Amino acid sequence: MSAHCQLTGAEPGFGHRISHSHRRTARRFDPNVQRKRYWLPSEGRHVRLTLSAKAIKTIDSIGIEAAVARIRARGVNV
């Protein structure tokens, strides 16, 4: 479950590596997921979230309170 974003729900995609001779082997496209710690003023504590790079930018624009509300609406414990 490490390659999942808690805010956007981004998860690995699967496909094929295609060699020069056009042989196909399985590969995995992992999202750019990072662990980030935010201060949550309403609860007076820090929260540690697993977020994709896109989700970090989203939090910068909508704020951590709205982001945590969206995460909880998805049914994820924070």
Coordinates of all heavy atoms in Angstrom, one line a residue:
M1 N 0.8 -1.2 0.0 CA 0.0 0.0 0.0 C 0.9 1.3 0.0 O 0.4 2.4 0.1 CB -0.9 0.0 1.2 CG -1.8 1.1 1.4 SD -3.5 0.7 1.0 CE -4.2 2.3 1.2
S2 N 2.2 1.1 -0.1 CA 3.0 2.3 0.0 C 3.0 3.2 -1.2 O 3.2 4.4 -1.0 CB 4.5 1.8 0.2 OG 4.9 1.0 -1.0
A3 N 2.6 2.7 -2.4 CA 2.6 3.6 -3.5 C 1.2 4.2 -3.8 O 0.9 4.4 -5.0 CB 3.1 2.8 -4.8
H4 N 0.4 4.5 -2.8 CA -0.9 5.1 -2.9 C -0.9 6.4 -2.3 O -0.4 6.6 -1.2 CB -1.9 4.2 -2.3 CG -2.2 2.9 -3.0 ND1 -1.3 1.9 -3.1 CD2 -3.3 2.5 -3.6 CE1 -1.8 0.9 -3.8 NE2 -3.1 1.3 -4.1
C5 N -1.6 7.4 -3.0 CA -1.7 8.7 -2.5 C -3.0 8.8 -1.6 O -4.1 8.3 -2.1 CB -1.7 9.7 -3.6 SG -2.1 11.4 -3.1
Q6 N -2.9 9.3 -0.5 CA -4.1 9.4 0.4 C -5.1 10.4 -0.1 O -6.3 10.3 0.2 CB -3.7 9.7 1.8 CG -3.0 8.6 2.5 CD -2.6 8.9 3.9 OE1 -2.0 9.9 4.2 NE2 -3.0 8.1 4.9
L7 N -4.7 11.5 -0.8 CA -5.6 12.6 -1.2 C -6.2 12.3 -2.6 O -7.4 12.3 -2.7 CB -4.8 13.9 -1.2 CG -5.6 15.1 -1.6 CD1 -6.8 15.4 -0.7 CD2 -4.8 16.4 -1.7
T8 N -5.4 12.0 -3.5 CA -5.9 11.8 -4.9 C -6.2 10.4 -5.2 O -6.9 10.1 -6.2 CB -4.8 12.3 -5.9 OG1 -3.6 11.5 -5.8 CG2 -4.5 13.8 -5.7
G9 N -5.7 9.4 -4.5 CA -5.9 8.0 -4.7 C -5.1 7.5 -5.8 O -5.3 6.4 -6.4
A10 N -4.0 8.2 -6.2 CA -3.1 7.8 -7.3 C -2.4 6.5 -6.8 O -2.0 6.3 -5.7 CB -2.0 8.8 -7.5
E11 N -2.4 5.5 -7.7 CA -1.8 4.2 -7.5 C -1.0 3.8 -8.7 O -1.1 4.4 -9.7 CB -2.9 3.2 -7.1 CG -3.9 3.0 -8.2 CD -5.1 2.2 -7.7 OE1 -5.3 2.0 -6.5 OE2 -5.8 1.7 -8.6
P12 N -0.2 2.7 -8.5 CA 0.7 2.3 -9.6 C -0.2 1.9 -10.9 O -1.3 1.3 -10.7 CB 1.4 1.1 -9.1 CG 1.3 1.2 -7.6 CD 0.0 1.9 -7.3
G13 N 0.4 2.2 -12.0 CA -0.2 1.7 -13.3 C 0.7 0.6 -13.8 O 1.9 0.5 -13.4
F14 N 0.2 -0.3 -14.6 CA 0.9 -1.4 -15.2 C 1.0 -1.3 -16.7 O 0.1 -0.8 -17.3 CB 0.3 -2.7 -14.7 CG 0.4 -2.8 -13.2 CD1 -0.6 -2.4 -12.4 CD2 1.5 -3.4 -12.6 CE1 -0.6 -2.5 -11.0 CE2 1.6 -3.5 -11.2 CZ 0.5 -3.1 -10.4
G15 N 2.0 -1.8 -17.2 CA 2.2 -1.9 -18.7 C 3.3 -2.8 -19.1 O 3.6 -3.7 -18.4
H16 N 3.9 -2.5 -20.2 CA 5.0 -3.3 -20.7 C 6.2 -2.5 -21.0 O 6.1 -1.4 -21.5 CB 4.6 -4.0 -22.0 CG 3.5 -5.1 -21.8 ND1 2.2 -4.8 -22.0 CD2 3.6 -6.4 -21.4 CE1 1.5 -5.9 -21.8 NE2 2.3 -6.9 -21.4
R17 N 7.4 -3.1 -20.8 CA 8.6 -2.6 -21.3 C 8.8 -3.2 -22.6 O 8.6 -4.4 -22.8 CB 9.8 -3.1 -20.3 CG 10.8 -2.2 -20.0 CD 11.8 -2.8 -19.0 NE 11.7 -2.2 -17.7 CZ 11.1 -2.7 -16.6 NH1 10.7 -4.0 -16.7 NH2 11.1 -2.1 -15.5
I18 N 9.1 -2.4 -23.6 CA 9.2 -3.0 -25.0 C 10.7 -2.8 -25.4 O 11.2 -1.7 -25.5 CB 8.2 -2.3 -26.0 CG1 6.8 -2.5 -25.5 CG2 8.4 -2.8 -27.4 CD1 5.8 -1.9 -26.3
S19 N 11.3 -3.9 -25.7 CA 12.7 -3.9 -26.1 C 12.8 -3.5 -27.6 O 11.9 -3.3 -28.3 CB 13.3 -5.3 -25.9 OG 12.8 -6.2 -26.9
H20 N 14.1 -3.4 -28.0 CA 14.4 -3.0 -29.4 C 13.8 -4.1 -30.4 O 13.3 -3.8 -31.4 CB 15.9 -2.9 -29.6 CG 16.2 -2.6 -31.0 ND1 16.0 -1.4 -31.6 CD2 16.8 -3.3 -32.0 CE1 16.4 -1.4 -32.9 NE2 16.9 -2.5 -33.1
S21 N 13.8 -5.4 -29.9 CA 13.3 -6.4 -30.8 C 11.7 -6.6 -30.6 O 11.2 -7.5 -31.1 CB 14.0 -7.7 -30.5 OG 13.7 -8.1 -29.1
H22 N 11.2 -5.7 -29.8 CA 9.7 -5.6 -29.6 C 9.2 -6.7 -28.7 O 8.0 -7.1 -28.7 CB 8.9 -5.5 -30.9 CG 7.7 -4.7 -30.8 ND1 7.7 -3.3 -30.6 CD2 6.4 -5.0 -30.8 CE1 6.5 -2.9 -30.5 NE2 5.7 -3.9 -30.6
R23 N 10.1 -7.3 -27.8 CA 9.6 -8.3 -26.8 C 9.0 -7.4 -25.7 O 9.5 -6.4 -25.3 CB 10.8 -9.1 -26.3 CG 11.2 -10.1 -27.4 CD 12.3 -10.9 -26.8 NE 11.8 -11.8 -25.8 CZ 11.9 -13.1 -25.8 NH1 12.6 -13.7 -26.7 NH2 11.4 -13.8 -24.8
R24 N 8.0 -8.0 -25.1 CA 7.3 -7.2 -24.0 C 7.5 -7.9 -22.7 O 7.3 -9.1 -22.6 CB 5.8 -7.1 -24.3 CG 5.5 -6.3 -25.5 CD 4.1 -6.5 -26.0 NE 4.0 -5.8 -27.3 CZ 3.1 -4.9 -27.6 NH1 2.1 -4.7 -26.8 NH2 3.0 -4.4 -28.8
T25 N 7.9 -7.2 -21.7 CA 8.0 -7.7 -20.3 C 7.2 -6.7 -19.4 O 7.1 -5.5 -19.7 CB 9.4 -7.8 -19.8 OG1 10.1 -6.5 -20.0 CG2 10.2 -8.9 -20.6
A26 N 6.6 -7.3 -18.3 CA 5.8 -6.5 -17.4 C 6.6 -5.4 -16.7 O 7.8 -5.6 -16.4 CB 5.2 -7.4 -16.4
R27 N 6.0 -4.3 -16.5 CA 6.6 -3.2 -15.7 C 5.5 -2.4 -15.0 O 4.4 -2.7 -15.2 CB 7.4 -2.2 -16.6 CG 6.6 -1.4 -17.6 CD 7.2 -0.2 -18.0 NE 7.4 0.7 -16.9 CZ 8.0 1.9 -17.0 NH1 8.5 2.3 -18.2 NH2 8.2 2.7 -16.0
R28 N 6.0 -1.6 -14.1 CA 5.1 -0.9 -13.2 C 5.4 0.6 -13.2 O 6.6 1.0 -13.1 CB 5.3 -1.5 -11.8 CG 4.4 -1.0 -10.7 CD 4.7 -1.8 -9.5 NE 4.5 -1.0 -8.3 CZ 4.0 -1.4 -7.2 NH1 3.6 -2.6 -7.1 NH2 3.9 -0.6 -6.2
F29 N 4.4 1.5 -13.3 CA 4.6 2.9 -13.3 C 4.1 3.4 -11.9 O 3.0 3.5 -11.7 CB 3.7 3.6 -14.4 CG 4.1 3.2 -15.8 CD1 3.5 2.1 -16.4 CD2 5.0 4.0 -16.5 CE1 3.8 1.8 -17.7 CE2 5.3 3.7 -17.8 CZ 4.7 2.6 -18.4
D30 N 5.1 3.7 -11.1 CA 4.8 4.2 -9.7 C 4.6 5.7 -9.7 O 5.3 6.4 -10.3 CB 5.9 3.8 -8.7 CG 5.9 2.4 -8.4 OD1 4.8 1.8 -8.3 OD2 7.0 1.8 -8.1
P31 N 3.6 6.2 -9.0 CA 3.4 7.6 -8.8 C 4.5 8.2 -7.9 O 5.1 7.4 -7.1 CB 2.0 7.8 -8.2 CG 1.8 6.5 -7.5 CD 2.5 5.4 -8.3
N32 N 4.7 9.5 -8.0 CA 5.8 10.1 -7.2 C 5.2 10.4 -5.8 O 4.6 11.4 -5.5 CB 6.2 11.4 -7.9 CG 7.3 12.1 -7.2 OD1 7.8 11.6 -6.2 ND2 7.6 13.3 -7.6
V33 N 5.3 9.4 -4.9 CA 4.7 9.4 -3.6 C 5.7 9.7 -2.6 O 6.8 9.1 -2.6 CB 3.9 8.1 -3.3 CG1 3.4 8.0 -1.9 CG2 2.8 7.8 -4.3
Q34 N 5.4 10.7 -1.7 CA 6.3 11.1 -0.6 C 5.5 11.2 0.7 O 4.3 11.5 0.7 CB 6.9 12.4 -0.9 CG 7.6 12.4 -2.2 CD 7.8 13.8 -2.8 OE1 7.7 14.8 -2.1 NE2 8.2 13.9 -4.0
R35 N 6.2 11.0 1.8 CA 5.6 11.1 3.2 C 5.9 12.6 3.6 O 7.0 13.1 3.6 CB 6.2 10.2 4.2 CG 5.9 8.8 3.7 CD 5.7 7.7 4.7 NE 5.6 8.0 6.1 CZ 4.5 7.7 6.8 NH1 3.4 7.3 6.2 NH2 4.5 7.9 8.1
K36 N 4.8 13.3 4.0 CA 4.9 14.7 4.4 C 4.2 14.9 5.7 O 3.1 14.3 5.9 CB 4.3 15.5 3.3 CG 4.7 17.0 3.3 CD 5.3 17.4 2.0 CE 5.3 18.9 1.9 NZ 6.3 19.5 2.8
R37 N 4.7 15.8 6.5 CA 4.1 16.1 7.8 C 3.6 17.5 7.8 O 4.3 18.4 7.4 CB 5.3 15.9 8.9 CG 4.8 16.1 10.3 CD 6.0 15.7 11.1 NE 5.8 16.1 12.5 CZ 6.5 16.9 13.2 NH1 7.6 17.4 12.7 NH2 6.2 17.1 14.5
Y38 N 2.3 17.6 8.2 CA 1.6 18.9 8.2 C 1.1 19.2 9.6 O 0.7 18.3 10.3 CB 0.4 18.9 7.3 CG 0.8 19.0 5.8 CD1 0.8 17.8 5.1 CD2 1.1 20.2 5.2 CE1 1.2 17.8 3.7 CE2 1.5 20.2 3.8 CZ 1.5 19.0 3.1 OH 1.8 19.1 1.8
W39 N 1.1 20.5 10.0 CA 0.4 20.9 11.3 C -1.0 21.1 11.0 O -1.4 21.8 10.1 CB 1.1 22.2 11.8 CG 0.4 22.7 13.0 CD1 -0.4 23.8 13.0 CD2 0.4 22.2 14.3 NE1 -0.8 24.0 14.3 CE2 -0.4 23.0 15.1 CE3 1.0 21.1 14.9 CZ2 -0.6 22.8 16.5 CZ3 0.8 20.9 16.2 CH2 0.0 21.7 17.0
L40 N -1.9 20.4 11.8 CA -3.3 20.5 11.7 C -3.8 21.4 12.8 O -4.0 20.9 14.0 CB -3.9 19.1 11.7 CG -5.4 19.0 11.2 CD1 -5.5 19.4 9.8 CD2 -5.7 17.5 11.3
P41 N -4.1 22.7 12.6 CA -4.4 23.6 13.7 C -5.7 23.3 14.4 O -5.8 23.5 15.6 CB -4.6 25.0 13.0 CG -4.0 24.8 11.7 CD -4.0 23.4 11.3
S42 N -6.7 22.8 13.7 CA -8.0 22.5 14.3 C -7.9 21.4 15.4 O -8.7 21.4 16.3 CB -9.0 22.1 13.3 OG -8.6 20.9 12.6
E43 N -6.9 20.5 15.2 CA -6.8 19.4 16.2 C -5.6 19.6 17.1 O -5.3 18.8 18.0 CB -6.7 18.1 15.5 CG -8.0 17.7 14.7 CD -7.9 16.4 14.0 OE1 -7.0 15.6 14.4 OE2 -8.7 16.2 13.1
G44 N -4.8 20.6 16.8 CA -3.6 20.9 17.6 C -2.5 19.8 17.5 O -1.9 19.5 18.5
R45 N -2.3 19.2 16.4 CA -1.4 18.1 16.3 C -0.8 18.1 14.8 O -1.4 18.7 13.9 CB -2.0 16.8 16.6 CG -3.0 16.3 15.6 CD -3.7 15.0 16.1 NE -4.7 14.6 15.1 CZ -4.5 13.5 14.3 NH1 -3.4 12.9 14.3 NH2 -5.4 13.2 13.4
H46 N 0.2 17.3 14.7 CA 0.8 17.1 13.3 C 0.1 15.8 12.7 O -0.2 14.9 13.5 CB 2.3 16.8 13.4 CG 3.1 18.1 13.6 ND1 3.5 18.4 14.9 CD2 3.5 19.0 12.8 CE1 4.2 19.6 14.8 NE2 4.2 19.9 13.5
V47 N 0.0 15.8 11.4 CA -0.5 14.6 10.7 C 0.6 14.3 9.7 O 1.2 15.1 9.0 CB -1.8 14.8 10.0 CG1 -2.9 14.9 11.1 CG2 -1.9 16.0 9.1
R48 N 0.9 13.0 9.5 CA 1.8 12.5 8.5 C 1.0 11.9 7.4 O 0.3 10.9 7.6 CB 2.8 11.5 9.1 CG 4.0 11.2 8.2 CD 5.0 10.4 8.8 NE 5.7 11.0 10.0 CZ 6.7 11.8 9.9 NH1 7.2 12.1 8.7 NH2 7.2 12.4 11.0
L49 N 1.2 12.4 6.2 CA 0.4 11.9 5.0 C 1.3 11.3 4.0 O 2.4 11.8 3.8 CB -0.5 13.0 4.4 CG -1.4 13.7 5.4 CD1 -2.1 14.9 4.7 CD2 -2.5 12.8 5.9
T50 N 0.8 10.3 3.2 CA 1.5 9.8 2.1 C 0.8 10.4 0.9 O -0.3 10.2 0.6 CB 1.4 8.3 2.0 OG1 1.8 7.7 3.3 CG2 2.2 7.7 0.9
L51 N 1.6 11.3 0.2 CA 1.0 12.1 -0.9 C 1.8 12.1 -2.2 O 3.0 12.0 -2.1 CB 0.9 13.6 -0.4 CG 0.2 13.9 0.8 CD1 0.5 15.3 1.3 CD2 -1.3 13.7 0.6
S52 N 1.1 12.2 -3.3 CA 1.8 12.3 -4.6 C 2.2 13.8 -4.7 O 1.8 14.7 -4.0 CB 0.9 11.9 -5.7 OG -0.2 12.8 -5.8
A53 N 3.1 14.0 -5.6 CA 3.6 15.4 -5.9 C 2.5 16.3 -6.3 O 2.4 17.5 -5.8 CB 4.7 15.4 -6.9
K54 N 1.5 15.8 -7.0 CA 0.4 16.6 -7.4 C -0.5 17.0 -6.2 O -1.0 18.1 -6.1 CB -0.5 15.8 -8.4 CG -1.7 16.6 -8.9 CD -2.5 15.7 -9.9 CE -3.8 16.5 -10.3 NZ -4.6 15.7 -11.2
A55 N -0.6 16.0 -5.3 CA -1.4 16.3 -4.1 C -0.8 17.3 -3.2 O -1.5 18.1 -2.5 CB -1.6 15.0 -3.3
I56 N 0.5 17.4 -3.1 CA 1.2 18.4 -2.3 C 0.9 19.7 -2.9 O 0.7 20.7 -2.1 CB 2.8 18.1 -2.3 CG1 3.0 16.8 -1.5 CG2 3.5 19.3 -1.7 CD1 4.5 16.3 -1.6
K57 N 0.9 19.9 -4.2 CA 0.6 21.2 -4.8 C -0.9 21.5 -4.5 O -1.2 22.7 -4.4 CB 0.8 21.1 -6.3 CG 2.3 21.0 -6.7 CD 2.4 20.8 -8.2 CE 3.9 20.4 -8.5 NZ 4.0 20.0 -9.9
T58 N -1.8 20.5 -4.5 CA -3.2 20.7 -4.2 C -3.4 21.3 -2.8 O -4.1 22.2 -2.6 CB -4.0 19.4 -4.4 OG1 -3.8 19.0 -5.7 CG2 -5.5 19.7 -4.1
I59 N -2.6 20.7 -1.9 CA -2.7 21.2 -0.5 C -2.2 22.6 -0.4 O -2.8 23.4 0.4 CB -1.9 20.2 0.5 CG1 -2.7 18.9 0.6 CG2 -1.7 20.8 1.8 CD1 -2.0 17.8 1.4
D60 N -1.2 22.9 -1.1 CA -0.7 24.3 -1.1 C -1.7 25.3 -1.6 O -1.8 26.4 -1.1 CB 0.5 24.4 -2.0 CG 1.8 23.8 -1.5 OD1 1.8 23.5 -0.3 OD2 2.7 23.6 -2.2
S61 N -2.6 24.9 -2.5 CA -3.7 25.8 -3.0 C -5.0 25.8 -2.1 O -5.5 26.8 -1.9 CB -4.0 25.5 -4.4 OG -4.6 24.3 -4.6
I62 N -5.4 24.6 -1.7 CA -6.7 24.6 -0.9 C -6.5 24.6 0.6 O -7.5 24.9 1.3 CB -7.5 23.3 -1.3 CG1 -6.9 22.0 -0.9 CG2 -7.8 23.3 -2.8 CD1 -7.8 20.8 -1.0
G63 N -5.4 24.3 1.1 CA -5.1 24.3 2.5 C -5.2 22.9 3.1 O -5.9 22.0 2.6
I64 N -4.6 22.7 4.3 CA -4.5 21.4 4.9 C -5.9 21.0 5.5 O -6.2 19.8 5.4 CB -3.4 21.3 5.9 CG1 -3.2 19.9 6.5 CG2 -3.6 22.3 7.0 CD1 -2.8 18.9 5.5
E65 N -6.6 21.9 6.0 CA -7.9 21.6 6.6 C -8.9 21.0 5.5 O -9.5 20.0 5.8 CB -8.6 22.8 7.2 CG -7.8 23.4 8.4 CD -7.8 22.6 9.6 OE1 -8.7 21.7 9.8 OE2 -6.9 22.8 10.5
A66 N -9.0 21.6 4.4 CA -9.8 21.1 3.3 C -9.3 19.8 2.8 O -10.1 18.9 2.4 CB -9.9 22.2 2.2
A67 N -8.0 19.7 2.7 CA -7.4 18.4 2.2 C -7.7 17.3 3.2 O -8.1 16.2 2.7 CB -5.9 18.6 2.0
V68 N -7.6 17.5 4.5 CA -7.9 16.4 5.4 C -9.4 16.1 5.4 O -9.8 14.9 5.5 CB -7.5 16.9 6.9 CG1 -8.0 15.9 7.9 CG2 -6.0 16.9 6.9
A69 N -10.3 17.1 5.1 CA -11.7 16.8 5.0 C -11.9 15.9 3.8 O -12.7 14.9 3.8 CB -12.5 18.1 4.9
R70 N -11.2 16.2 2.7 CA -11.4 15.3 1.5 C -10.9 13.9 1.7 O -11.5 12.9 1.3 CB -10.6 15.9 0.3 CG -11.3 17.0 -0.4 CD -10.5 17.4 -1.7 NE -10.9 18.7 -2.1 CZ -10.4 19.2 -3.2 NH1 -9.4 18.6 -3.9 NH2 -10.8 20.4 -3.6
I71 N -9.7 13.8 2.4 CA -9.2 12.5 2.7 C -10.1 11.7 3.6 O -10.4 10.5 3.3 CB -7.8 12.6 3.4 CG1 -6.8 13.2 2.4 CG2 -7.3 11.3 4.0 CD1 -5.5 13.6 3.1
R72 N -10.7 12.3 4.6 CA -11.7 11.6 5.5 C -12.9 11.3 4.7 O -13.6 10.2 5.0 CB -12.0 12.5 6.7 CG -10.8 12.5 7.6 CD -11.1 13.3 8.9 NE -10.0 13.2 9.8 CZ -9.6 14.1 10.7 NH1 -10.2 15.2 10.7 NH2 -8.6 13.9 11.5
A73 N -13.3 12.1 3.7 CA -14.5 11.8 2.9 C -14.3 10.5 2.1 O -15.2 9.8 1.8 CB -14.9 12.9 2.0
R74 N -13.0 10.2 1.7 CA -12.7 9.0 1.0 C -12.7 7.8 1.9 O -12.5 6.7 1.4 CB -11.3 9.2 0.3 CG -11.3 10.2 -0.8 CD -9.9 10.2 -1.5 NE -9.8 9.0 -2.3 CZ -8.7 8.2 -2.1 NH1 -7.8 8.4 -1.3 NH2 -8.6 7.1 -2.9
G75 N -12.8 8.0 3.2 CA -12.8 6.9 4.1 C -11.5 6.5 4.7 O -11.3 5.4 5.2
V76 N -10.5 7.4 4.5 CA -9.1 7.1 5.0 C -9.0 7.7 6.4 O -9.3 8.8 6.6 CB -8.0 7.6 4.0 CG1 -6.7 7.4 4.6 CG2 -8.2 7.0 2.7
N77 N -8.4 6.9 7.3 CA -8.1 7.4 8.7 C -7.0 8.4 8.7 O -5.9 8.1 8.1 CB -7.8 6.2 9.6 CG -8.9 6.1 10.7 OD1 -9.8 6.9 10.8 ND2 -8.7 5.1 11.4
V78 N -7.1 9.5 9.4 CA -6.0 10.5 9.5 C -5.8 10.7 11.0 O -6.6 10.9 11.7 CB -6.3 11.8 8.8 CG1 -5.3 12.8 9.0 CG2 -6.6 11.6 7.3

